Amino acid sequence: MQLPIRILFLKSSRLVIQSYCHSAEAKLIRNYSVIGGVSSAVVTKCSTWKDLAKTFLEKATNNPDSLENKYIPMKSSKGKSKASEVRHIVDYRKIRAVGGNGGDGCISFLSVFKVEKAGPDGGDGGNGGHVVFQAKEGMRSLAHVSSYTHAPNGEQGSHKDCHGRSADNLVVKVPIGTTFKYNGFTVASLEEDGSMFVAARGGAGGKGNAFFTTDVDQAPRVSEFGGKGEMFEYEVELKTMADVGLIGFPNAGKSTLLRAISRARPKVASYPFTTLHPYVGMIQYGDHHQLAVADIPGLIEGAHRNRGLGIDFLRHIERCSCLLYVLDVSQPDPWRQLEILMHELEQYQKGLSQRPHAIVANKIDLPNSEENVADLTKMIDLPIVPVSAKMGQQLVPLLSLLRLLVDYNGESVD
């Protein structure tokens, strides 16, 4: 069948967790002459996202009024939905695309008044429809894409030289950045709004007996069957599921945090693996820009070996531009959680943890959390935001920091 065209290391007694940076971290930063709305000299030396994040976080915490408008999160004017069904995001599908069959040609002979044998008048069949995927801005999920997609068939030809109607193409809208793999090879990637991929072509309509009339054979009794449509099986994936992915152990408070910062309503309960599918919430800012934040189901040690909920959930992290490690600081030695999470990401895919990231020290409202946050600050050299997702504490500096990381990552990629 043819392809369709179409780290850790110890330094004295202090544990230092290697901060993996974006590949463009050593480039000269010229676009950050204003950090968080506070005027500063243009940065003329090499700088990393980590240095920028630390400086910005300090200013956002101590002097939030000085933030530039684009870093100010806005509260949604809509309340949370009261629908009983909560939809999760789908970023991977296995589909079978089948083109429509062509209509059969017709065998017919015309008989009119006073002319009993007026000759063959069998019409041609119509062409089958194609299965076409089209990228559309504003879409973020593949939940609407059916695992079996069949384009309509063409109509059969009829007598009196009536040709069958060709079927319309089946156009399926998908998010920008959707990729299609066939037998493990990427055959299409829709990177721009309106770009299309013909996944399966429809069959051609068959010819009626009028088509086969010749000087020798004036009454042919033959016609063609319509052609069969193509059939291919694809793996459909989203390149980018969200701008920020929330990563953490089960019951670290990721779903509670997403509920606190957006209108999303992932399930929250006191037992592990409450979240079985990724959920995405939208954050709005003062310049009318929106960020997508994904709640990734909890990871455990050995997830890269498919333990727990395994590799399927590590695949979700691969589709997030920036990472946010959510640590439960009510537990002793919270830096061990970070160590395991980063190790799992590196074992799954080298360089996955190099993306811009920050630490969320969650559950600071619980006993012993303040002491654990102080120890965490001494043990790691990364931007840390202590929050209480349940009580809504310290969320504004966190949301402002997310905008900085996403903007920096976008400029680095460009």
Side-chain angles (χ1 to χ4, degrees), residues 214-253:
T214 64
D215 294 339
V216 177
D217 188 359
Q218 293 291 314
R221 297 179 177 271
V222 61
S223 66
E224 291 181 337
F225 289 112
K228 297 294 184 181
E230 294 179 334
M231 181 183 70
F232 294 103
E233 292 184 355
Y234 297 99
E235 295 179 73
V236 186
E237 300 181 0
L238 292 183
K239 271 190 176 180
T240 302
M241 178 179 68
D243 299 302
V244 181
L246 302 180
I247 306 171
F249 280 10
N251 274 10

Side-chain angles (χ1 to χ4, degrees), residues 275-278 296-299 309-317:
T275 302
L276 299 178
H277 304 281
I296 308 296
L299 300 178
L309 298 176
I311 292 178
D312 285 342
F313 291 161
L314 285 168
R315 186 187 291 121
H316 298 315
I317 301 173

Side-chain angles (χ1 to χ4, degrees), residues 63-295:
N63 191 12
D65 294 336
S66 63
L67 291 177
E68 193 176 343
N69 192 41
K70 71 175 184 176
Y71 295 111
I72 300 176
M74 305 295 292
K75 185 177 181 180
S76 176
S77 59
K78 295 182 179 179
K80 291 188 182 294
S81 173
K82 297 182 180 180
S84 58
E85 180 183 1
V86 180
R87 298 180 181 178
H88 62 273
I89 191 170
V90 177
D91 59 351
Y92 176 83
R93 282 279 200 198
K94 283 187 176 180
I95 68 166
R96 175 177 294 180
V98 182
N101 297 329
D104 297 336
C106 176
I107 299 178
S108 174
F109 294 94
L110 182 63
S111 178
V112 294
F113 180 67
K114 292 187 178 181
V115 184
E116 182 179 357
K117 299 180 179 179
D121 65 340
D124 302 339
N127 298 324
H130 305 324
V131 178
V132 181
F133 290 91
Q134 181 179 24
K136 182 180 180 182
E137 190 174 0
M139 302 188 69
R140 290 191 173 274
S141 176
L142 298 174
H144 65 285
V145 179
S146 174
S147 59
Y148 182 80
T149 305
H150 195 303
N153 299 326
E155 295 183 358
Q156 295 184 356
S158 184
H159 63 287
K160 295 185 179 179
D161 291 315
C162 292
H163 298 320
R165 181 177 181 273
S166 294
D168 295 330
N169 296 330
L170 177 61
V171 180
V172 182
K173 308 289 185 180
V174 292
I176 296 176
T178 302
T179 60
F180 296 82
K181 292 183 179 180
Y182 179 79
N183 287 342
F185 296 96
T186 301
V187 294
S189 181
L190 306 182
E191 302 293 344
E192 298 180 359
D193 185 25
S195 56
M196 295 184 179
F197 167 58
V198 180
R201 292 175 295 189
K207 300 296 185 181
N209 67 333
F211 175 82
F212 296 97
T213 303
T214 64
D215 294 339
V216 177
D217 188 359
Q218 293 291 314
R221 297 179 177 271
V222 61
S223 66
E224 291 181 337
F225 289 112
K228 297 294 184 181
E230 294 179 334
M231 181 183 70
F232 294 103
E233 292 184 355
Y234 297 99
E235 295 179 73
V236 186
E237 300 181 0
L238 292 183
K239 271 190 176 180
T240 302
M241 178 179 68
D243 299 302
V244 181
L246 302 180
I247 306 171
F249 280 10
N251 274 10
K254 303 181 297 298
S255 298
T256 304
L257 180 60
L258 186 64
R259 276 177 168 260
I261 63 179
S262 71
R263 297 181 63 242
R265 297 188 303 129
K267 184 178 179 181
V268 175
S270 58
Y271 53 85
F273 298 113
T274 307
T275 302
L276 299 178
H277 304 281
Y279 290 86
V280 173
M282 305 302 297
I283 304 174
Q284 300 179 357
Y285 290 87
D287 61 345
H288 304 290
H289 183 76
Q290 290 185 334
L291 292 186
V293 179
D295 174 18

Side-chain angles (χ1 to χ4, degrees), residues 323-372:
L323 308 178
L324 202 60
Y325 295 97
V326 182
L327 308 182
D328 183 358
V329 294
S330 66
Q331 303 295 324
D333 300 339
W335 55 89
R336 299 298 181 189
Q337 303 175 34
L338 179 62
E339 174 185 345
I340 295 173
L341 292 172
M342 296 184 73
H343 175 71
E344 292 300 323
L345 295 188
E346 285 299 309
Q347 290 298 313
Y348 172 72
Q349 182 185 102
K350 292 295 183 183
L352 183 57
S353 61
Q354 296 178 6
R355 299 176 183 181
H357 56 270
I359 310 300
V360 174
N362 194 22
K363 303 186 181 181
I364 60 173
D365 55 305
L366 297 181
N368 302 324
S369 60
E370 294 185 2
E371 294 81 358
N372 291 336

